[in-house]
Amino acid sequence: MRVSQMLVPTLREVPAEAEVVSHQLLLRAGFIRKTASGVYTYLPLAQRVLKKIMQIVREEMDKQGGQELLMPIIQPAELWLDSGRWHVYGPELFRLKDRHQRDFCLGPTHEEVITTLVRGDVRSYKQMPLLLYQIQSKFRDERRPRFGLMRGREFIMKDLYSFDRDEAGLEVSYQKMHEAYINIFSRCGVQFRPVEADSGAIGGSSTHEFMVLAESGEAAILYCSACDYAANVEKATTQPTTGPDPSIPKLPLQEMSTPGQRSAEEVAAFLGIEPTQVIKTMFYKTNQEVVAALVRGDRDVNEVKLLNILGALTLELADEKTVEQVTGAPVGYVGPVQLKNIRIVADLDVMAMTNAIAGANKQDVHFINVNPQRDFTPEIVEDIRLVKVGEPCPKCGAHLLEARGIEVGQIFKLGTKYSEILGATFLDENGKERPIVMGCYGIGVSRTMAAAIEQNYDQNGIIWPANIAPFQAIVVPVATKDESQMKVAEELYHTLNQAGVETVLDDRAERPGVKFKDADLIGYPVRIVVGKQASDGIVEMRQRRSGVTEMTSVKDVVTKILELLPTL
Ligand code: 9G3
């Protein structure tokens, strides 16, 4: 392509509405324009990047035996009523009616459609395993679309669904996708980590998220400084504290006046002890009940873990009134001893405490010498706490580090959740009818493009990893009016394209400074400047990422670029 013919509307100013680097640079470098809130047009350069990512995705899916199909974006409400999810999702589901007032939605994901399809056409164990995928625009009416392509309302996703006869088969499919995802994100040139995640509302047992490590990421991750353990903060565990120490005598329970001391820190300071000696009692309201959750005073409740353990649909901190009703005391003086009529969930480490401090369910009073089991008995004892940076890795004991990440991929073991509810069964070797065992696997294609920028930019613009760059090289003639320069530039442009190096020619009658600025902003991995020395057969070759610049003879350019590209 000749730059003079391309639609690449670069901007000098940083657009005010763009909060993150990828959004700013995609707008400034002329890759995207906003059509509506959270809805973007991909201009030609962006479409080239997306096609490259999609090509990598297709190759890796096909390599694992994936078969591409294409399902409709418009989905009838009946499928979602059948799965029970029509009423589970609220305004996030884009709903519409046809001329007959029949309900539809714009697909946010395709579990319902594909499970119904497979129910009709897969009957025997002989037809599985089956890996079916598509690449398509998805729709989710986010409350707050933001960060450009990172949280749009319309976005491109690859979604694959696996169908197996049993759990062992699912495990194989899951591992295939795990491997494919590692290949895909490596080939896209992003630094990433697969992390253990919470399977949450979707149900199922196991899930990993693929995180591109970036400051702007919405997800907080803990990862091991020594081994490959990595997990979302909501999922992260650590090594349990040992104890209680049997050598410490359990002292008699005793009330203590603690006027005005409410938080674990305040009470600890007041009594001259550490917050680690205090039991923090938090009250939560679920859709079913009010529960007390106990953690050590220096720790916080992990609400995701708690919600899952309780098997609840919703969970929120109880308001002060509720706490007073349940305990008879104001917030700050509540505790598990003599607490009646509600379930107590204790963190594992609380059970390891001896002679602890806890609220006495009386204003301005705490108990000292509280001993779990002796003074109260929790209904549930589990890990319900947030793990913090520096704590030991649950796998190897080395300390955990923290990072932020952008979720670009997610793989789930669904099990039989959808096949049972939608009746997708098969006949096994013995002619017995059984539900198909499923998995689902997503990649945010448009989000991957944005995430690649979050990791690869400098003050001058984008630095595309060569494999997903819209073009690999740009040839910039310094003086377009100089015929001999233009001739060398044109020749280079043709030779490079013929050699398979995707190259543009900046034939615009602009000052060289303007062209260099645009080339840096757009992020071509290699820039070739054809200047005064062109008449001697010498041009300048510059790498966008390192800034390394060398003068090279025209006849060596192709070989040098072909050698260089795999390293960029
Ligand atoms: C909805 C709406 C939003 C949603 C969903 C359904 C997320 C929904 C989870 C998934 C799971 C996997 C296949 C590819 C990999 C991820 N947001 N999820 O099910 F109706 Cl409005 O989409 N699907």
Side-chain angles (χ1 to χ4, degrees):
M1 264 322 265
R2 290 162 190 276
V3 175
S4 64
Q5 317 279 295
M6 289 164 48
L7 179 63
V8 187
T10 54
L11 309 169
R12 288 285 157 255
E13 303 294 317
V14 180
E17 81 265 26
E19 297 169 65
V20 293
V21 165
S22 62
H23 191 195
Q24 292 169 359
L25 288 175
L26 284 165
L27 288 166
R28 276 189 61 208
F31 282 67
I32 62 169
R33 287 294 180 261
K34 184 166 92 179
T35 301
S37 167
V39 178
Y40 292 87
T41 295
Y42 305 115
L43 296 180
L45 288 183
Q47 178 65 353
R48 291 184 70 96
V49 176
L50 292 170
K51 282 170 82 173
K52 291 197 175 175
I53 298 172
M54 291 189 277
Q55 181 59 26
I56 292 171
V57 168
R58 287 195 166 96
E59 286 172 17
E60 296 297 333
M61 290 296 111
D62 294 351
K63 199 163 115 190
Q64 302 293 345
Q67 303 178 63
E68 187 170 357
L69 47 54
L70 188 57
M71 289 179 271
I73 285 170
I74 297 180
Q75 305 184 11
E78 286 71 36
L79 295 182
W80 289 74
L81 287 164
D82 286 351
S83 74
R85 296 211 298 171
W86 183 258
H87 297 293
V88 169
Y89 285 92
E92 198 185 341
L93 190 61
F94 264 109
R95 297 165 208 256
L96 63 156
K97 285 187 193 291
D98 71 3
R99 62 173 72 215
H100 307 293
Q101 302 304 308
R102 286 186 286 240
D103 287 310
F104 291 83
C105 66
L106 300 181
T109 179
H110 280 69
E111 280 80 4
E112 279 79 0
V113 177
I114 201 150
T115 309
T116 306
L117 176 93
V118 166
R119 172 178 73 195
D121 291 293
V122 174
R123 270 169 229 96
S124 160
Y125 69 94
K126 290 178 191 155
Q127 291 169 282
M128 294 185 286
L130 209 45
L131 303 173
L132 300 171
Y133 76 96
Q134 62 175 352
I135 299 179
Q136 190 194 48
S137 292
K138 295 280 191 277
F139 300 82
R140 293 179 187 176
D141 196 356
E142 297 281 344
R143 185 202 299 272
R144 241 189 107 196
R146 5 177 228 174
F147 307 145
L149 298 190
M150 304 250 263
R151 190 162 288 283
R153 297 195 296 169
E154 169 172 344
F155 56 96
I156 303 173
M157 185 199 266
K158 181 284 303 180
D159 46 330
L160 183 143
Y161 305 86
S162 66
F163 301 88
D164 282 282
R165 302 146 61 163
D166 51 26
E167 286 289 329
L170 170 60
E171 184 60 31
V172 174
S173 295
Y174 191 84
Q175 288 312 324
K176 283 184 175 174
M177 286 301 116
H178 196 281
E179 183 184 313
Y181 278 35
I182 287 177
N183 294 342
I184 288 165
F185 296 117
S186 305
R187 288 178 63 185
C188 287
V190 291
Q191 270 184 297
F192 66 96
R193 254 189 121 110
V195 309
E196 289 177 21
D198 174 67
S199 52
I202 194 169
S205 45
S206 187
T207 165
H208 283 87
E209 289 173 354
F210 286 75
M211 295 287 190
V212 165
L213 305 177
E215 276 300 316
S216 60
E218 290 185 83
I221 303 161
L222 288 168
Y223 65 99
C224 181
S225 53
C227 76
D228 66 356
Y229 177 78
N232 273 340
V233 269
E234 296 85 31
K235 176 80 179 176
T237 60
T238 182
Q239 307 210 331
T241 312
T242 50
D245 185 344
S247 70
I248 304 173
K250 289 181 182 162
L251 303 175
L253 186 69
Q254 196 184 319
E255 281 189 3
M256 200 71 161
S257 170
T258 50
Q261 313 301 317
R262 290 167 174 266
S263 69
E265 290 79 18
E266 285 168 356
V267 174
F270 181 78
L271 298 174
I273 49 144
E274 292 301 315
T276 53
Q277 274 297 102
V278 179
I279 296 173
K280 200 193 263 184
T281 309
M282 308 286 289
F283 288 84
Y284 286 92
K285 229 180 192 159
T286 73
N287 51 313
Q288 308 151 348
E289 60 182 331
V290 176
V291 296
L294 313 182
V295 291
R296 235 169 60 178
D298 58 327
R299 292 180 170 158
D300 295 305
V301 174
N302 182 329
E303 296 180 2
V304 174
K305 287 182 186 172
L306 185 60
L307 177 103
N308 289 342
I309 287 163
L310 294 169
L313 287 176
T314 61
L315 180 94
E316 56 176 3
L317 212 51
D319 53 82
E320 296 195 7
K321 235 171 131 187
T322 307
V323 175
E324 287 206 40
Q325 271 167 12
V326 172
T327 64
V331 172
Y333 305 100
V334 295
V337 183
Q338 292 150 20
L339 195 61
K340 294 193 188 72
N341 302 325
I342 71 164
R343 295 207 287 170
I344 297 174
V345 187
D347 184 59
L348 289 171
D349 289 352
V350 167
M351 303 315 282
M353 295 168 82
T354 310
N355 300 328
I357 315 297
N361 299 324
K362 268 190 214 173
Q363 172 133 25
D364 294 339
V365 183
H366 279 78
F367 279 126
I368 63 166
N369 302 329
V370 175
N371 286 285
Q373 283 325 346
R374 185 192 72 180
D375 300 324
F376 66 90
T377 315
E379 273 67 28
I380 302 173
V381 176
E382 288 258 21
D383 168 15
I384 57 161
R385 74 182 183 87
L386 278 174
V387 175
K388 293 191 180 128
V389 65
E391 293 201 61
C393 166
K395 268 193 179 169
C396 78
H399 65 280
L400 293 172
L401 302 171
E402 65 188 337
R404 300 198 70 81
I406 303 164
E407 183 196 328
V408 288
Q410 191 164 26
I411 59 180
F412 288 99
K413 289 183 188 168
L414 289 171
T416 55
K417 174 180 163 159
Y418 287 93
S419 52
E420 275 186 54
I421 198 159
L422 295 171
T425 59
F426 69 102
L427 295 178
D428 70 10
E429 299 93 313
N430 307 313
K432 188 168 173 270
E433 188 173 345
R434 296 204 298 179
I436 299 176
V437 183
M438 291 175 55
C440 68
Y441 314 84
I443 288 182
V445 173
S446 40
R447 191 187 275 187
T448 299
M449 172 164 74
I453 296 173
E454 293 290 333
Q455 250 182 11
N456 297 282
Y457 70 94
D458 63 13
Q459 68 279 9
N460 298 317
I462 305 171
I463 306 174
W464 287 110
N467 276 347
I468 61 169
F471 289 93
Q472 296 160 323
I474 180 167
V475 175
V476 185
V478 171
T480 38
K481 290 201 184 101
D482 182 324
E483 273 179 32
S484 68
Q485 267 186 36
M486 269 316 275
K487 188 159 173 283
V488 173
E490 291 268 1
E491 272 172 18
L492 258 176
Y493 165 60
H494 287 296
T495 331
L496 281 165
N497 276 309
Q498 255 150 28
V501 181
E502 294 166 314
T503 307
V504 298
L505 174 67
D506 197 347
D507 58 342
R508 294 175 301 167
E510 291 280 359
R511 284 180 289 116
V514 169
K515 297 192 200 180
F516 295 161
K517 266 207 153 58
D518 275 351
D520 277 357
L521 181 60
I522 291 162
Y524 304 95
V526 183
R527 183 185 82 189
I528 293 146
V529 178
V530 181
K532 286 212 179 83
Q533 286 176 273
S535 47
D536 306 325
I538 304 284
V539 294
E540 179 202 272
M541 192 163 114
R542 178 171 172 270
Q543 301 173 38
R544 174 68 180 86
R545 188 180 298 273
S546 64
V548 168
T549 306
E550 57 176 319
M551 303 309 291
T552 169
S553 97
V554 174
K555 63 180 196 323
D556 294 338
V557 168
V558 173
T559 329
K560 285 205 164 153
I561 288 193
L562 286 174
E563 236 173 61
L564 205 56
L565 281 174
T567 71
L568 297 177

